[in-house]
Amino acid sequence: MTGLGLWRPCGLKARGLWSCLFAGMILVLSSQATAYDPALKWWTMTTDHFLIHYHDGERELARRLAVDAEQALEKISTRLGHMPEDRIVIVLTDFTDSANGSSSVLPYNLVNILASLPGDMSVLNDTDDHIRIVITHELTHTVHMDTVTSIPHWINMVLGRTLYPNGAQPGWFTEGLAVQTESALSSAGRIRSSLFRMYLRTAALADRFATLDEMGGVPHQWPQATVWYLYGGFFMQYLTERFGYDAIRKLSLKMSGMLIPWSLNLVAKQVLGQGYPKLYRQWRKKVFKNATDTLAMISKEGITAFRPITRRGQIQWEPRVSPGSSQILYFSAPTDGWPCLKLVGTDGKDDRCLVQVNSDGGAAITADGSRIIFSQAHIEKQFYVYSDLYCLELETGSVHRLTHGLRAHEPDVDASGHNIVFVSNGLAKNSLMLMDTRSMKTSTLLAQDELHHYYTPRFSPDGSKVVFSRSRPDGGREIFMLELGTKKLRQLTHGRFMDLQPAFMPGAKTVIFSSDRTGIYNLYSVDIDSGDMKRLTNVVTGAFQPCPAPDSSGIAFSIYGPDGFDIAWVDLPLAAKQTTMEREPRPPAVLQQPKPSYQVSRYNPLPSLLPRAWFPTYSQDPWGSTFGLMFGGQDAISRLAYLVNLNINPEPFQVYFDASLWAQVLYPSLALYASRHIYRAPNRAMVNDTAWSIDTRELTFYAELSFPFSSIRQYNSFFINYDLHLYDSATPIPRDPLDLEPVLPDDRALAWIGLGWYGTWTERYLDSISTEKG
């Protein structure tokens, strides 16, 4: 993700328009502020190039992040030919189970890192060290956008942090550059990801390749905004391989001095000799050739026939065959409705929604077919978005919650229905857990480990073993099996491949899984005793998440297509497939440097609140034109945000101001506003039966306390506010004893106290043109 790149000031003459703009800007400031838990204690770790803000419990992870950030910044700055002058601010948080990051250069260089691990099928799943890859990606944005030269540099010398031409480039360029860099500086990353390559290959073969014009916005069709990272990343990789990284550095430096940000092709022609549209067509032609060559090779080996169960695309995945082998439970995220768990017959008929869910956390059916154990996200303590386990009773349709605050996902249930195995998230780590549904007690099977992470555990048919996928610290994942009685851990697969989503076949002598060992995800089996491995399918796109039918009649799995993922079925038995294809080898892993002791202090918001830029403003008052400036600030962890506008009319000397403050230091949040203005109102007074214009000074003070209480699908907030307006006439009224008593305006103070509730539970989907429900 990238931050704001270019700010363009404009003058507004009408005071009403200015007030709307001012109010809108403070709303933007406060809405961008992520409401972190006010109860958290925050600390600051200072390194040579960074201020890392973190909350209690994150110190060791902050030290690890500091090492990775320093190492990455040195390499990125060398590649792009620029080193930011001031320390870069990094905020490390753990308030969600989603993995992501963001960066911005306004009001200062700020990077936000979410500590959670990426999900099993996330486009970020191919990683050697998630924190290192995310910070590399975001610092690429920071260094790239912070590069400002020529005229924009001199404008910034006067106005402060204002113009950032590189930040105004299209998303496919900025995100593509960061994706290429994250992969070049690691042994993983999206350029190396077989999942990402599958997206590109499938689009080429289906003639659904995105154009540069389509990537100028967010395409409606699959995979939506991922196109910036997908096409942009591989296109930048193509340019790097063809012209060298010196050309990429020249593109960044040349663009950073352009006052007009829409000069992308001009810069490309100057540096690369051709515009981006022509280069893009050349790269597209190369991608098409590689895709058709791959298709020809797969076709020679014989493509596996399968039966589609769903045909909706987007995300229809995680199939679980029912105990009777006649139905398939799966997760559905359509374009025209809320995500839900669905049940469909193995013949593709009777496809129906069982329960709407807030997120995809995995689901399993009990052996008696009476219950579904699933995971979904919820808002915890108003400030956290975590996942927990729930139980759906199929007979009654009732749902009740099983865990609280365990950050649990990817559940599976043993044959007795009394034990649930699941993964529990932590600080850039996770653990393998077991819960007894009778006592509701949980125990740890495999504790959190900085080097290894766990995914998609599955019970053996008799419940004595658990098989799962475990990450390697040098990239890739392998399949392991844990014997619950003896706690003996056995490794079933080896290598720096992506071995995912294992499941026991009936009889428990064989484990099937998905792997990219050929560079294309297919289904494999491994014999538990002998270790013999077989490739079971040969598909063109990718096969994932296999679930065998209990009666051994077939395997349900998710298949990728040009519109996304769908559920499919393949009959058993399957003959072993032979191939000469193999995934490209990974480069050596990037070694973690020693973690030195950095200076740590309590978090102080004041340094980051200082204004970094000012913007000229223009307006009018009753006597003519006024001139002023606007400035604001926001602290690093978004507890305080303010915006101030000062305007002056030098003759007669009058000072006007608007000042707003938003604070989330405690619960509730606080908003304050104060202003001073003068208005001229005709005919507000009568002097000797003559209409008289009155200039009125108005002082406004406003304060509001908000008490939000929300869920994933609803936002609610109680509020109480106080609004005070003080008036004073700035126009002298002539008073003569012989005149009639003048009729003067009522300048008494006005005040309001407001108490209310605001709530919304509207729904809007990808296909919606407006709100549909709620």
Side-chain angles (χ1 to χ4, degrees), residues 372-387:
I372 292 176
I373 307 300
F374 67 97
S375 170
Q376 66 174 345
H378 59 276
I379 294 181
E380 184 85 12
K381 299 178 181 178
Q382 195 54 49
F383 297 99
Y384 304 90
V385 183
Y386 289 159
S387 296

Side-chain angles (χ1 to χ4, degrees), residues 537-554:
T537 64
N538 190 38
V539 299
V540 178
T541 56
F544 303 88
Q545 302 167 327
C547 181
D551 64 0
S552 300
S553 59

Side-chain angles (χ1 to χ4, degrees), residues 553-603:
S553 59
I555 300 173
F557 65 100
S558 59
I559 185 75
Y560 185 76
D563 295 314
F565 293 87
D566 272 296
I567 305 300
W569 179 275
V570 62
D571 292 327
L572 290 175
L574 288 169
K577 306 291 184 181
Q578 302 298 321
T579 184
T580 57
M581 298 174 59
E582 187 170 337
R583 176 191 164 120
E584 293 180 9
R586 299 176 185 269
V590 178
L591 299 178
Q592 172 73 52
Q593 299 296 315
K595 301 174 186 175
S597 296
Y598 296 106
Q599 176 185 348
V600 174
S601 59
R602 287 297 299 268
Y603 172 73

